[in-house]
Structure formats: C-alpha cells, structure tokens
Amino acid sequence: MANVSNSGEVYECEICGNVVEVKVVGGGELVCCGKPMLLQKK
C-alpha cells in the first residue's frame, strides 16, 4: 500500500492510464479502477 505523503507526487493507474499529481496531502491511498495507483515520481 502506497500512502500519499508529499505534495508533487505523481501517481498512475496501471489499468486505464489516469495520471494524478498531488496538490494537497490528505493522507490515505489513491485508488483507480479498483486498484492502488502506482507512485511514478516524487
């Protein structure tokens, strides 16, 4: 499980390809298509 920890982190869904950049850290885990999103860069 990869919890969001820093603003600026970029996550990608390995199923549909959605990409998100964290602007405000609220904690928790980013999930898309029913699976955790993968951290691409910090």
Side-chain angles (χ1 to χ4, degrees):
M1 174 168 59
N3 287 334
V4 176
S5 57
N6 297 298
S7 62
E9 289 179 338
V10 175
Y11 289 82
E12 182 174 7
C13 176
E14 61 184 348
I15 295 172
C16 73
N18 276 339
V19 175
V20 298
E21 180 179 351
V22 177
K23 296 292 186 184
V24 177
V25 176
E29 180 181 28
L30 292 174
V31 176
C32 187
C33 295
K35 295 186 74 174
M37 297 182 82
L38 302 174
L39 178 61
Q40 297 301 305
K41 68 175 185 176
K42 291 186 177 186

